[in-house]
Amino acid sequence: MSLRTRFLEPELVRRLGRAELSARTIVEGFLTGLHNSPYRGFSVEFAEHRAYVPGDDIRHIDWKVYAKRERYYIKQYHEETNFVASLLLDASASMTFCSGGPSKLEYASTASAALAYLVLRQNDAVSLGVFDRESTAYQPPGTGLPFLESVARSLEQVHPTGGTSLGASLGAFARLIARRGIVVVVSDFLDEPASIVRGLQQLAFGGHEVIALHVLDPHEIEFPLEGHVRFEGLESADRILLQPHRIRDAYLAALDEHLHALRQGCSRAGIEYRLAGTAEPLDEMLLTYLAARARQKKGAR
Amino acid sequence: MTFLHAAWLWGALLGGVPILIHLLSRRRYRVVRWAAMDFLLRAAAQRARSVQIQDLILLALRTLALVAAAIALSRPILTGRASAALASRGESEAAIVLDTSYSMQTLEGARTRMEAARQQALAVLEALPAGTRVSLFRADTVATPALETPTDDRAAIADAIARTEAGPGGSDASAGIAAAIDALRTSTASARTVYLLSDFQRRAWDANEREIRRRLDEADPAVRFVAWPVTQGPAPNAAITSLRVTSRLIAVARPVEFDADVIDAGQPPVEQVDVELWVADRKVSRQSVALSDGRATVTFRHIFRTAGPAPVEVRLGPDAVDADNHRYALLYVPESIGVAVLARTSGYGASGSAASGSSASAPGADYFVSAALSHGASDNEVSLPFQVERVNGAASLPSALSGDVACVILADSGALPAATLRALDRFARAGGGVLITAGPEAAATCGPLRQPPFAALAGVTVDVPAEDESPVHIAAGPGVASRVVDLDSPGLRHAVGTVTFWRTLGLSRADDAGLEADLQFDDGRPAALIGAYGAGRVALFAGSLDTAWCDLPYRPAFVPMLADWVAYLARGRLIAPERRPREAWTVPIDRSALSSSVAIVGSRGQKLDLAAALRSPATQAAGGSPTDGVSIGGFDEAGVYRLTGVSPEHAQLGVAINVDTAESSPDRLSADELRARLPAGRTVVLDGAADGASKSILAGVVGTDASRVVAAALVAMLMLETLLGYWFGRRRAAAAEGGR
């Protein structure tokens, strides 16, 4: 099994085949036609007029406007460009948690690979960043489906060990990713919401369209455990013996508070937030997400 | 509070099981490596206190439920105020019967049975629900209320119990049962219980079984019975069961023999006892006898040197029961025994013999009697202590009876006036002896015997024979040959031998006539009947004491036989009657004779309150003033009592009070036998001392069983635990849903 097929099973690829990842906002792109470029040029779709300045190509002077106003204006067009989708994967130890299905890391890696596939298939560029508290690894953008193999190899080499410091890690990526594009952060976001939002905001401030894909295990969402359980921290030395059902309400309240803070922070920062449980089939999750995103895009136009 | 099945209380340790399970379950956990530890720690910190409180509440409920289950199974019994509080209205009434017969004096170990019974009675009192009205009876042969009225005053009841002592009386179980049932008869209390505290001697129940059954059948079916035998411990005891004067003749300077029967009536067995003879409060003899067979008869011989009343006591050394170590008798030792002979004819030749055809020169009966009792024995160099007095005419007899006469011989007395008959009746009932013989005027003599006041002899039929009756004989035979007269002297020991009768009275007796055949003809008919009559004795002889009807006066046995009869008949005047403690003594005098100067004094100086004695229950039970005298009861102490301050003719009136030594029997009813004799289904027989198991069982009977209450509490706790568990769960679930 190739690395590519490890993360992208044929069925997943088939179901994603017709989906297209489209940016809701204007991004810079390499390919025209699918994505509106923020660099206005002289392309097919009219954008606006501007006053003629010497040096402009006179071919772009709109003579009809000159006839009306007796001043030279240049016609400007939206240019459809290809873009860079940066996939930032949380590789902290907490991502290794699983309650029976795939671990959060496996789920996140597969989702990243699927997104990379979609982006590469439409001739856009993909870059991959992997981070934990101590380190960040960044694979520069690449295009073409063969690059997917390289992405998969990078995902394969992820070995989660350390803790999480999302704010710092995302800040580092904000400085690292020079070209504006889509940044998809795939993480369990088990950190202080304020810190997380701050990190995401740093990415957004860089002009990126930031998507926060929050991956959680169903047990983390539902907390259905019974009996006496000793919980041992994946990222800390904390240990505690509990009867989970006795504190379920408090746990869920704390989780809800956390999610609410994340949602609110993302919303305020214009960051798209999506919560995904690892029990949710990945293709369904991506398809519904992309469909919703496509609807939003049309609405925005 | 006590517990019927206290062993179940160990089950309360199961109350630790929930705690143990809780602790153990904390050790059995699975490990989950968890990512979102912050949420967990925050949630745990937030819920720690409420979870602890919930855990504590549920754990406490589970623990208490198990403890309550153990307590319920152990049957907790609430007594006293707690019981009254639990009971519906606390309406209960109790009758406590304390056996005060002398067997309760028995010293068993360190304490007497009475002390044990008092302790048990106090235990009953303590166990009774507050407000219980209590009647207390002291019972031996009669039951006496120890409280004026039923009361719930615990102090007064306890005081009455503490003042209860065992007396000298025997025991009649029916008396106590009847008193208790009567006391509860009018009670409206819902709980009525009779408590019998006794040593439950078998004889006290066997002897009165029918009466006990009748009383129990009459009792309200709601009345419960609790029999609590006093504890049984070692009680070595010997008892004197009887003191008999075996000598026929009682007179000054003559040896008088006493037989005292001694039995071993305790455990462990007594092998040997010292028996003492005390006369007039002075020890005169002592013997040591072995009780190898469990019994022995001790014979004492004593010669009284002075005439007059002589208190005699046979005494044993101290043992477990003192009451049966003493036996009393009161003798009136005469210089000589007065004999009055009533005969119409007198002297030699007073009458003739019809059969022999002799002339009127034959001696009369008075001659033969005088000769036999005063002179007849002189030939044998034996002096007989008789003082014979001839009474001329029946009318003179009553005045003759007021002296020292101990025996009257009606020898050819002829017809007796009614006044004489009444005098004879009183004389005999008061202890005198009457020998009625045949004679030429037999019809006139014997006719009145079938009329009142001699109607008591109605069981005896006297047929006056025709003149030409064929001779009969007292012949040597199985019944006759053995009739040997022995008047403590070899010279007076003779067999009756053959006596020829020309004429005989036809004597026949009913089975219940109370007279025994002392002699009989060879055809089986009685020749002499002899037996008790009131305090005295009466004898009927089918022949005459002269030669008119038989040739007895010429027979060698005539003198000893006549002396023997007279000695026997006179004993009623020489030996005071014997009564049991509390039994009424009927004094053969008119009530008018009981002036204020009259007193009843014991041989040891103890005085009986005559007025109180005349009001005593025993006196009332005896009828107070029967026709033959005055009943006096209330003799609470064994001993010898004499009537003082009366006229000389009554100077010899006295009584010996002796305990009923059947009461000394160690044979007691077992618990099963008691259950069989008391009403089934509503009788509880306790066993043991007033502590430990018996007290628990008693509490079970008396107190209120709180097990139902505890069981209800158990159910309530289980329900509460379930509800709280459900509620806590629901609350958590709701909170969790709210958190979503």
Side-chain angles (χ1 to χ4, degrees):
Chain A
M1 182 186 291
S2 69
L3 289 171
R4 179 180 162 182
T5 54
R6 181 183 172 216
F7 289 103
L8 293 174
E9 292 173 0
E11 178 64 13
L12 176 63
V13 171
R14 188 187 65 76
R15 298 189 64 178
L16 292 174
R18 297 186 62 80
E20 294 176 349
L21 179 67
S22 57
R24 180 161 48 88
T25 57
I26 299 168
V27 296
E28 294 177 340
F30 294 101
L31 299 175
T32 60
L34 286 178
H35 304 284
N36 296 326
S37 171
Y39 303 104
R40 287 162 180 79
F42 308 97
S43 184
V44 178
E45 187 175 355
F46 173 74
E48 62 183 351
H49 286 96
R50 71 170 170 82
Y52 172 81
V53 292
D56 287 338
D57 192 344
I58 59 169
R59 289 180 301 173
H60 298 300
I61 295 174
D62 190 338
W63 297 110
K64 290 180 181 177
V65 173
Y66 175 77
K68 291 178 183 175
R69 300 194 180 180
E70 292 183 346
R71 293 185 66 177
Y72 295 108
Y73 285 90
I74 296 296
K75 285 179 75 175
Q76 287 190 317
Y77 298 87
H78 286 290
E79 191 176 45
E80 290 188 340
T81 67
N82 52 0
F83 71 102
V84 176
S86 299
L87 305 173
L88 303 183
L89 177 65
D90 183 356
S92 64
S94 66
M95 291 293 285
T96 61
F97 178 75
C98 73
S99 61
S103 69
K104 290 186 285 186
L105 183 64
E106 288 167 348
Y107 193 88
S109 297
T110 307
S112 299
L115 288 171
Y117 168 77
L118 288 175
V119 170
L120 291 174
R121 207 190 64 165
Q122 61 186 31
N123 294 323
D124 289 330
V126 167
S127 68
L128 177 67
V130 178
F131 63 92
D132 58 19
R133 181 187 296 165
E134 285 80 22
S135 62
T136 56
Y138 183 66
Q139 188 174 13
T143 57
L145 282 175
F147 185 67
L148 186 61
E149 193 74 23
S150 174
V151 170
R153 186 176 300 110
S154 298
L155 292 173
E156 171 69 18
Q157 289 172 350
V158 171
H159 294 292
T161 49
T164 307
S165 179
L166 275 166
S169 298
L170 295 179
F173 279 114
R175 289 186 297 275
L176 202 60
I177 303 170
R179 188 172 179 178
R180 288 188 296 174
I182 295 176
V183 178
V184 181
V185 182
V186 187
S187 170
D188 56 8
F189 293 120
L190 293 179
D191 201 352
E192 282 298 315
S195 170
I196 295 167
V197 171
R198 199 163 47 245
L200 293 171
Q201 278 177 335
Q202 286 184 39
L203 286 169
F205 291 158
H208 301 293
E209 179 186 0
V210 181
I211 300 170
L213 184 57
H214 192 173
V215 178
L216 285 176
D217 188 274
H219 277 205
E220 289 175 324
I221 298 171
E222 301 291 338
F223 203 54
L225 301 175
E226 298 285 346
H228 283 82
V229 178
R230 194 176 78 180
F231 294 93
E232 296 179 354
L234 281 166
E235 294 182 5
S236 67
D238 291 329
R239 291 179 172 185
I240 187 168
L241 181 62
L242 292 170
Q243 288 179 280
H245 66 281
R246 308 287 298 278
I247 61 159
R248 184 165 177 263
D249 56 332
Y251 171 88
L252 293 178
L255 175 65
D256 187 65
E257 185 185 348
H258 180 77
L259 296 179
H260 180 73
L262 277 180
R263 281 194 191 97
Q264 203 169 38
C266 288
S267 175
R268 283 177 184 163
I271 296 165
E272 199 169 331
Y273 173 85
R274 172 70 157 90
L275 174 63
T278 58
E280 187 180 1
L282 183 60
D283 51 353
E284 278 184 26
M285 188 275 289
L286 285 176
L287 287 173
T288 54
Y289 171 64
L290 291 175
R293 184 180 165 82
R295 282 195 299 274
Q296 283 181 336
K297 182 182 175 185
K298 285 179 182 174
R301 282 180 182 175
Chain B
M1 183 168 73
T2 56
F3 298 90
L4 289 187
H5 310 301
W8 278 104
L9 283 177
W10 288 103
L13 293 176
L14 290 174
V17 169
I19 299 171
L20 201 63
I21 290 173
H22 178 73
L23 294 175
L24 286 176
S25 65
R26 287 178 64 87
R27 301 186 61 179
R28 296 182 59 190
Y29 55 81
R30 59 196 173 102
V31 176
V32 172
R33 290 181 63 76
W34 191 255
M37 284 300 285
D38 283 348
F39 304 153
L40 272 185
L41 295 172
R42 206 183 314 161
Q46 186 182 340
R47 283 280 175 269
R49 184 149 187 86
S50 65
V51 165
Q52 274 182 353
I53 291 172
Q54 289 176 9
D55 278 351
L56 207 62
I57 292 171
L58 294 177
L59 203 61
L61 283 171
R62 289 166 191 159
T63 300
L64 286 174
L66 284 169
V67 171
I71 291 173
L73 288 171
S74 66
R75 299 280 306 278
I77 303 298
L78 296 179
T79 56
R81 291 182 187 281
S83 175
L86 193 62
S88 55
R89 290 183 302 279
E91 289 182 352
S92 68
E93 187 148 351
I96 302 174
V97 180
L98 271 169
D99 183 354
T100 53
S101 62
Y102 83 72
S103 65
M104 296 295 282
Q105 297 177 8
T106 305
L107 185 67
E108 291 181 334
R111 63 181 185 178
T112 65
R113 291 177 186 171
M114 193 69 241
E115 289 168 337
R118 280 198 296 263
Q119 192 175 352
Q120 291 172 191
L122 290 173
V124 168
L125 188 63
E126 183 187 345
L128 288 172
T132 302
R133 282 157 48 88
V134 176
S135 304
L136 179 66
F137 295 96
R138 297 164 180 152
D140 43 35
T141 52
V142 294
T144 311
L147 296 164
E148 286 189 11
T149 55
T151 178
D152 60 354
D153 183 347
R154 297 296 175 103
I157 303 164
D159 182 57
I161 290 172
R163 284 188 286 106
T164 300
E165 295 288 350
S171 52
D172 175 357
S174 66
I177 289 173
I181 289 173
D182 287 344
L184 297 179
R185 192 183 303 280
T186 56
S187 170
T188 57
S190 55
R192 284 164 284 166
T193 310
V194 173
Y195 296 90
L196 302 171
L197 308 177
S198 167
D199 53 5
F200 292 108
Q201 289 184 296
R202 182 183 301 281
R203 58 164 294 279
W205 288 70
D206 285 349
N208 307 287
E209 190 174 3
R210 184 174 298 179
E211 178 67 8
I212 292 169
R213 178 54 49 200
R214 186 179 72 80
R215 289 291 187 172
L216 292 176
D217 288 344
E218 286 176 0
D220 189 316
V223 174
R224 296 187 304 166
F225 291 85
V226 176
W228 195 354
V230 292
T231 53
Q232 195 165 13
N237 180 43
I240 305 172
T241 57
S242 70
L243 172 60
R244 301 182 304 278
V245 182
T246 53
S247 298
R248 285 283 195 175
L249 288 173
I250 300 170
V252 170
R254 295 188 63 86
V256 177
E257 284 190 355
F258 304 91
D259 276 358
D261 293 331
V262 183
I263 63 166
D264 181 8
Q267 283 291 338
V270 178
E271 295 180 355
Q272 187 162 329
V273 290
D274 291 335
V275 190
E276 298 169 348
L277 176 70
W278 291 62
V279 175
D281 218 18
R282 187 171 62 87
K283 185 167 73 175
V284 294
S285 180
R286 176 182 176 184
Q287 293 186 42
S288 188
V289 292
L291 294 175
S292 52
D293 296 331
R295 60 179 58 247
T297 299
V298 187
T299 301
F300 291 101
R301 175 174 288 208
H302 181 70
I303 298 174
F304 294 93
R305 298 298 175 190
T306 58
V312 176
E313 178 190 354
V314 177
R315 188 183 293 181
L316 291 177
D319 54 22
V321 187
D322 184 62
D324 57 13
N325 290 341
H326 309 269
R327 202 78 188 174
Y328 302 93
L330 177 59
L331 274 59
Y332 295 98
V333 182
E335 289 285 355
S336 59
I337 299 170
V339 180
V341 182
L342 177 63
R344 286 188 307 138
T345 56
S346 178
Y348 194 83
S351 64
S353 170
S356 61
S358 61
S359 65
S361 61
D366 59 329
Y367 169 78
F368 286 109
V369 170
S370 297
L373 299 181
S374 303
H375 312 290
S378 60
D379 294 342
N380 299 304
E381 298 178 347
V382 173
S383 170
L384 287 173
F386 296 111
Q387 181 67 45
V388 180
E389 175 189 358
R390 185 176 184 281
V391 178
N392 291 314
S396 307
L397 187 61
S399 59
L401 296 180
S402 61
D404 292 332
V405 172
C407 180
V408 173
I409 298 175
L410 303 179
D412 188 19
S413 56
L416 297 175
T420 303
L421 280 170
R422 280 196 298 273
L424 273 174
D425 180 68
R426 278 201 304 274
F427 174 73
R429 289 183 189 278
V434 178
L435 173 59
I436 304 165
T437 68
E441 299 294 336
T445 305
C446 297
L449 296 180
R450 286 173 287 188
Q451 306 296 326
F454 265 101
L457 293 178
V460 177
T461 305
V462 182
D463 290 329
V464 180
E467 292 281 340
D468 57 350
E469 185 181 0
S470 300
V472 292
H473 303 279
I474 295 177
V480 175
S482 62
R483 176 70 172 91
V484 174
V485 178
D486 184 359
L487 289 176
D488 314 319
S489 173
L492 288 174
R493 183 183 174 89
H494 292 282
V496 173
T498 299
V499 180
T500 300
F501 286 76
W502 297 279
R503 296 177 66 189
T504 59
L505 290 176
L507 301 179
S508 60
R509 62 190 172 90
D511 289 339
D512 56 352
L515 299 184
E516 297 293 334
D518 195 52
L519 279 175
Q520 64 182 15
F521 298 113
D522 53 5
D523 60 1
R525 290 183 297 121
L529 293 175
I530 195 163
Y533 187 85
R537 289 127 195 251
V538 170
L540 284 169
F541 181 46
S544 64
L545 292 180
D546 56 13
T547 56
W549 286 43
C550 60
D551 61 357
L552 179 63
Y554 295 134
R555 297 295 175 185
F558 176 66
V559 171
M561 197 171 76
L562 184 62
D564 182 48
W565 275 345
V566 172
Y568 170 78
L569 293 169
R571 288 168 71 87
R573 293 291 288 245
L574 305 182
I575 302 174
E578 183 183 7
R579 292 289 182 273
R580 302 277 177 252
R582 304 194 197 290
E583 207 173 63
W585 168 42
T586 300
V587 187
I589 57 176
D590 293 333
R591 193 177 184 93
S592 58
L594 294 176
S595 63
S596 58
S597 61
V598 174
I600 297 176
V601 182
S603 57
R604 292 197 300 274
Q606 66 270 41
K607 279 194 173 182
L608 191 74
D609 183 344
L610 189 58
L614 290 172
R615 289 193 308 269
S616 72
T619 302
Q620 303 305 319
S625 298
T627 56
D628 52 351
V630 178
S631 288
I632 298 174
F635 294 95
D636 291 338
E637 190 178 347
V640 169
Y641 296 85
R642 290 180 55 223
L643 207 61
T644 62
V646 290
S647 58
E649 66 175 297
H650 297 128
Q652 292 186 345
L653 292 176
V655 66
I657 305 296
N658 284 312
V659 298
D660 179 3
T661 48
E663 187 65 24
S664 296
S665 168
D667 193 8
R668 299 163 68 175
L669 292 176
S670 68
D672 287 340
E673 289 172 317
L674 268 174
R675 285 189 195 94
R677 290 167 188 244
L678 288 168
R682 47 194 177 104
T683 294
V684 174
V685 178
L686 300 178
D687 187 19
D691 46 12
S694 294
K695 218 165 178 177
S696 296
I697 299 171
L698 174 68
V701 176
V702 175
T704 304
D705 190 343
S707 56
R708 287 183 183 176
V709 175
V710 179
L714 162 69
V715 171
M717 279 188 274
L718 288 175
M719 290 176 65
L720 186 60
E721 195 271 344
T722 306
L723 285 173
L724 279 179
Y726 177 73
W727 184 62
F728 290 154
R730 281 294 298 265
R731 208 173 64 151
R732 282 196 303 270
E737 285 300 317
R740 303 296 299 276

